[in-house]
mmCIF file of all heavy atoms in Angstrom:
data_model
loop_
_atom_site.group_PDB
_atom_site.id
_atom_site.type_symbol
_atom_site.label_atom_id
_atom_site.label_comp_id
_atom_site.label_asym_id
_atom_site.label_seq_id
_atom_site.Cartn_x
_atom_site.Cartn_y
_atom_site.Cartn_z
ATOM 1 N N ARG A 136 18.870 47.445 -24.588
ATOM 2 C CA ARG A 136 18.106 48.629 -25.010
ATOM 3 C C ARG A 136 17.582 48.372 -26.421
ATOM 4 O O ARG A 136 18.332 48.010 -27.327
ATOM 5 C CB ARG A 136 19.022 49.860 -25.016
ATOM 6 C CG ARG A 136 18.254 51.178 -25.207
ATOM 7 C CD ARG A 136 19.121 52.291 -25.742
ATOM 8 N NE ARG A 136 20.330 52.540 -24.991
ATOM 9 C CZ ARG A 136 20.413 53.316 -23.908
ATOM 10 N NH1 ARG A 136 19.339 53.877 -23.433
ATOM 11 N NH2 ARG A 136 21.583 53.504 -23.307
ATOM 12 N N ASN A 137 16.291 48.576 -26.626
ATOM 13 C CA ASN A 137 15.736 48.337 -27.940
ATOM 14 C C ASN A 137 15.509 49.607 -28.758
ATOM 15 O O ASN A 137 14.869 49.571 -29.813
ATOM 16 C CB ASN A 137 14.436 47.517 -27.851
ATOM 17 C CG ASN A 137 13.420 48.113 -26.901
ATOM 18 O OD1 ASN A 137 13.210 49.309 -26.884
ATOM 19 N ND2 ASN A 137 12.785 47.270 -26.093
ATOM 20 N N SER A 138 16.040 50.743 -28.271
ATOM 21 C CA SER A 138 15.959 52.009 -29.009
ATOM 22 C C SER A 138 17.360 52.599 -29.085
ATOM 23 O O SER A 138 18.338 51.951 -28.736
ATOM 24 C CB SER A 138 15.006 52.968 -28.290
ATOM 25 O OG SER A 138 15.491 53.236 -26.975
ATOM 26 N N PHE A 302 9.190 49.582 -30.749
ATOM 27 C CA PHE A 302 10.503 49.255 -30.191
ATOM 28 C C PHE A 302 10.386 48.136 -29.152
ATOM 29 O O PHE A 302 11.194 47.214 -29.109
ATOM 30 C CB PHE A 302 11.131 50.485 -29.525
ATOM 31 C CG PHE A 302 11.899 51.380 -30.468
ATOM 32 C CD1 PHE A 302 11.695 52.749 -30.470
ATOM 33 C CD2 PHE A 302 12.836 50.855 -31.326
ATOM 34 C CE1 PHE A 302 12.391 53.573 -31.329
ATOM 35 C CE2 PHE A 302 13.550 51.676 -32.186
ATOM 36 C CZ PHE A 302 13.325 53.038 -32.197
ATOM 37 N N ASP A 305 9.609 44.761 -30.550
ATOM 38 C CA ASP A 305 10.818 44.217 -31.187
ATOM 39 C C ASP A 305 11.738 43.564 -30.167
ATOM 40 O O ASP A 305 12.400 42.550 -30.462
ATOM 41 C CB ASP A 305 11.577 45.327 -31.936
ATOM 42 C CG ASP A 305 11.293 45.279 -33.440
ATOM 43 O OD1 ASP A 305 10.693 44.296 -33.918
ATOM 44 O OD2 ASP A 305 11.712 46.233 -34.132
ATOM 45 N N THR A 340 11.088 47.677 -36.404
ATOM 46 C CA THR A 340 11.700 49.014 -36.451
ATOM 47 C C THR A 340 13.041 49.009 -37.188
ATOM 48 O O THR A 340 13.778 49.991 -37.123
ATOM 49 C CB THR A 340 11.934 49.539 -35.020
ATOM 50 O OG1 THR A 340 12.722 48.585 -34.291
ATOM 51 C CG2 THR A 340 10.608 49.739 -34.304
ATOM 52 N N GLY A 341 13.336 47.945 -37.892
ATOM 53 C CA GLY A 341 14.582 47.863 -38.633
ATOM 54 C C GLY A 341 15.492 46.767 -38.107
ATOM 55 O O GLY A 341 15.179 46.118 -37.098
ATOM 56 N N PRO A 342 16.607 46.522 -38.788
ATOM 57 C CA PRO A 342 17.529 45.458 -38.383
ATOM 58 C C PRO A 342 18.004 45.629 -36.934
ATOM 59 O O PRO A 342 18.308 46.741 -36.508
ATOM 60 C CB PRO A 342 18.694 45.613 -39.365
ATOM 61 C CG PRO A 342 18.098 46.309 -40.542
ATOM 62 C CD PRO A 342 17.066 47.230 -39.987
ATOM 63 N N ILE A 343 18.053 44.517 -36.203
ATOM 64 C CA ILE A 343 18.441 44.546 -34.789
ATOM 65 C C ILE A 343 19.759 43.827 -34.576
ATOM 66 O O ILE A 343 19.918 42.660 -34.912
ATOM 67 C CB ILE A 343 17.366 43.893 -33.903
ATOM 68 C CG1 ILE A 343 16.027 44.642 -34.032
ATOM 69 C CG2 ILE A 343 17.816 43.859 -32.435
ATOM 70 C CD1 ILE A 343 14.879 43.963 -33.321
ATOM 71 N N THR A 344 20.714 44.574 -34.019
ATOM 72 C CA THR A 344 21.993 44.023 -33.568
ATOM 73 C C THR A 344 22.337 44.720 -32.260
ATOM 74 O O THR A 344 22.168 45.943 -32.141
ATOM 75 C CB THR A 344 23.116 44.285 -34.585
ATOM 76 O OG1 THR A 344 22.778 43.701 -35.841
ATOM 77 C CG2 THR A 344 24.438 43.695 -34.103
ATOM 78 N N TRP A 345 22.761 43.933 -31.274
ATOM 79 C CA TRP A 345 23.200 44.520 -30.009
ATOM 80 C C TRP A 345 24.684 44.333 -29.815
ATOM 81 O O TRP A 345 25.267 43.321 -30.244
ATOM 82 C CB TRP A 345 22.488 43.859 -28.822
ATOM 83 C CG TRP A 345 21.113 44.381 -28.548
ATOM 84 C CD1 TRP A 345 20.782 45.618 -28.085
ATOM 85 C CD2 TRP A 345 19.877 43.666 -28.702
ATOM 86 N NE1 TRP A 345 19.411 45.729 -27.948
ATOM 87 C CE2 TRP A 345 18.833 44.536 -28.309
ATOM 88 C CE3 TRP A 345 19.544 42.379 -29.121
ATOM 89 C CZ2 TRP A 345 17.497 44.179 -28.342
ATOM 90 C CZ3 TRP A 345 18.206 42.012 -29.152
ATOM 91 C CH2 TRP A 345 17.200 42.894 -28.760
ATOM 92 N N GLY A 349 24.698 45.589 -24.549
ATOM 93 C CA GLY A 349 23.253 45.602 -24.679
ATOM 94 C C GLY A 349 22.752 46.855 -25.359
ATOM 95 O O GLY A 349 21.561 47.175 -25.307
ATOM 96 N N GLU A 350 23.663 47.560 -26.043
ATOM 97 C CA GLU A 350 23.297 48.775 -26.776
ATOM 98 C C GLU A 350 22.902 48.397 -28.195
ATOM 99 O O GLU A 350 23.637 47.696 -28.889
ATOM 100 C CB GLU A 350 24.486 49.753 -26.822
ATOM 101 C CG GLU A 350 24.161 51.121 -27.371
ATOM 102 C CD GLU A 350 23.356 51.958 -26.385
ATOM 103 O OE1 GLU A 350 22.100 51.883 -26.436
ATOM 104 O OE2 GLU A 350 23.970 52.684 -25.582
ATOM 105 N N ARG A 351 21.753 48.848 -28.629
ATOM 106 C CA ARG A 351 21.309 48.535 -29.990
ATOM 107 C C ARG A 351 21.967 49.464 -30.990
ATOM 108 O O ARG A 351 22.057 50.676 -30.788
ATOM 109 C CB ARG A 351 19.788 48.652 -30.081
ATOM 110 C CG ARG A 351 19.274 48.302 -31.489
ATOM 111 C CD ARG A 351 17.770 48.330 -31.581
ATOM 112 N NE ARG A 351 17.333 48.180 -32.959
ATOM 113 C CZ ARG A 351 16.072 48.204 -33.353
ATOM 114 N NH1 ARG A 351 15.108 48.367 -32.451
ATOM 115 N NH2 ARG A 351 15.751 48.070 -34.633
ATOM 116 N N ILE A 352 22.412 48.884 -32.073
ATOM 117 C CA ILE A 352 22.974 49.647 -33.193
ATOM 118 C C ILE A 352 21.811 49.922 -34.130
ATOM 119 O O ILE A 352 21.289 49.009 -34.776
ATOM 120 C CB ILE A 352 24.083 48.846 -33.896
ATOM 121 C CG1 ILE A 352 25.186 48.491 -32.885
ATOM 122 C CG2 ILE A 352 24.649 49.625 -35.069
ATOM 123 C CD1 ILE A 352 26.176 47.478 -33.383
ATOM 124 N N THR A 353 21.384 51.194 -34.202
ATOM 125 C CA THR A 353 20.097 51.496 -34.841
ATOM 126 C C THR A 353 20.213 52.489 -35.978
ATOM 127 O O THR A 353 21.288 52.952 -36.333
ATOM 128 C CB THR A 353 19.123 52.060 -33.796
ATOM 129 O OG1 THR A 353 19.669 53.259 -33.250
ATOM 130 C CG2 THR A 353 18.883 51.067 -32.685
#
Side-chain angles (χ1 to χ4, degrees):
R136 190 202 307 276
N137 53 43
S138 61
F302 274 131
D305 259 350
T340 56
I343 299 173
T344 301
W345 278 292
E350 189 74 270
R351 181 177 172 182
I352 302 168
T353 60

